[in-house]
Amino acid sequence: LSTAKKYNFVPNKFASRLSMKAIKIGIILYYKAEHLKNQMISGIEDAYNNLKDYKIEYTLKIISAKEKTPAECESDLFSFADFDGVILSGFSNNAFKPMLDRFAAKNTNIVFLQSVCEDTNYLFASKHDETLASQLAAEILADRLYHSERKNILLFTGDQTSSVHDRAKTTFFTACREHSLNIIECIDMHDREEDLKILSEKYLNEYKNQFDGIYITSGNCISLCEAI
């Protein structure tokens, strides 16, 4: 130790991993929006390039919500039961909870990205705070409409069976009451591309001259934004 201190020796973290076994990580992207999926894949590749010298290996499974229901993803999830850990994106629907509980009984090294299936045993989650975002949205709308006699708001949510969008909706309703904003309609867009354009035009035409602000909780909203 004295010699190491004398010559300012700093252990090489990469070298220390060479004699150890590879860390195996399973990743599942359960997606509804193509552009969000592509962003996630790009982020995974960047992270791997930064960490691959640590002998990290990953297996990526990409599952479209159009092709599989949550219940049909169980075999994909359990194929990673013996891995050192799993990273799950898009697992916010409560229908995932029973299989996640069964998986956690075998492997508790679960990390959630973007959204979390609450009350599941997991290591940590990396996601935005949907409740804070909804509170801020109500405050900003209230500020912009401060001098307006009418304060009618259209709320477009993502799939409300998702805990993320359900919490966002509930928090936004509460915040709107606090700021005297009137939600005239809450529309579940279901996060399905085929529904987005039809529903967007339908409700925007129906409430054409009745709304003063819009809040959208879903990132899968290109068709809606184009219609607006």
Side-chain angles (χ1 to χ4, degrees):
L1 290 176
S2 61
T3 303
K5 184 176 181 180
K6 177 180 178 180
Y7 291 100
N8 296 317
F9 172 75
V10 178
N12 186 303
K13 293 181 179 179
F14 294 144
S16 68
R17 285 283 313 151
L18 292 177
S19 62
M20 302 175 68
K21 72 179 183 72
I23 297 173
K24 295 174 64 177
I25 298 174
I27 305 173
I28 300 179
L29 300 185
Y30 186 75
Y31 75 97
K32 295 181 178 179
E34 194 74 22
H35 65 284
L36 296 179
K37 177 201 74 174
N38 293 334
Q39 290 175 10
M40 292 294 293
I41 293 173
S42 177
I44 290 167
E45 291 173 347
D46 287 345
Y48 173 71
N49 288 331
N50 289 330
L51 297 170
K52 60 184 178 182
D53 288 332
Y54 286 92
K55 293 186 72 173
I56 290 175
E57 300 174 357
Y58 77 90
T59 300
L60 173 62
K61 294 193 175 190
I62 302 169
I63 304 172
S64 169
K66 295 178 182 178
E67 298 174 359
K68 284 189 177 183
T69 65
E72 293 170 332
C73 296
E74 184 158 359
S75 62
D76 297 291
L77 177 61
F78 274 81
S79 69
F80 295 141
D82 295 327
F83 278 44
D84 296 295
V86 294
I87 299 173
L88 306 175
S89 176
F91 278 61
S92 61
N93 191 309
N94 289 329
F96 283 111
K97 190 178 185 311
M99 78 175 71
L100 286 169
D101 287 341
R102 290 191 292 273
F103 184 86
K106 294 177 175 289
N107 188 339
T108 58
N109 293 332
I110 301 172
V111 172
F112 288 110
L113 288 183
Q114 290 188 308
S115 55
V116 180
C117 190
E118 299 295 342
D119 301 321
T120 299
N121 192 6
Y122 62 94
L123 286 178
F124 70 94
S126 175
K127 67 184 215 38
H128 82 289
D129 188 329
E130 64 277 357
T131 58
L132 178 60
S134 293
Q135 290 168 349
L136 288 173
E139 289 180 17
I140 292 169
L141 286 167
D143 182 66
R144 294 297 299 271
L145 298 173
Y146 183 78
H147 296 291
S148 174
E149 292 185 4
R150 199 180 69 175
K151 306 175 191 293
N152 292 336
I153 307 298
L154 274 179
L155 171 60
F156 290 92
T157 77
D159 188 351
Q160 290 180 19
T161 62
S162 160
S163 58
V164 172
H165 295 298
D166 183 59
R167 282 193 299 272
K169 178 192 74 172
T170 301
T171 302
F172 188 68
F173 265 83
T174 300
C176 283
R177 285 195 296 270
E178 293 173 352
H179 292 284
S180 301
L181 298 173
N182 176 40
I183 299 177
I184 56 175
E185 187 72 58
C186 175
I187 303 109
D188 187 343
M189 304 299 287
H190 303 294
D191 282 331
R192 291 195 295 264
E193 292 283 356
E194 58 270 24
D195 290 350
L196 285 173
K197 186 173 180 59
I198 296 172
L199 290 173
S200 299
E201 293 178 350
K202 174 182 183 297
Y203 285 102
L204 290 174
N205 287 329
E206 183 176 339
Y207 292 101
K208 186 173 182 179
N209 298 312
Q210 300 178 45
F211 66 89
D212 308 295
I214 292 174
Y215 180 44
I216 306 168
T217 72
S218 177
N220 188 18
C221 60
I222 292 177
S223 296
L224 173 56
C225 292
E226 289 175 345
I228 292 172

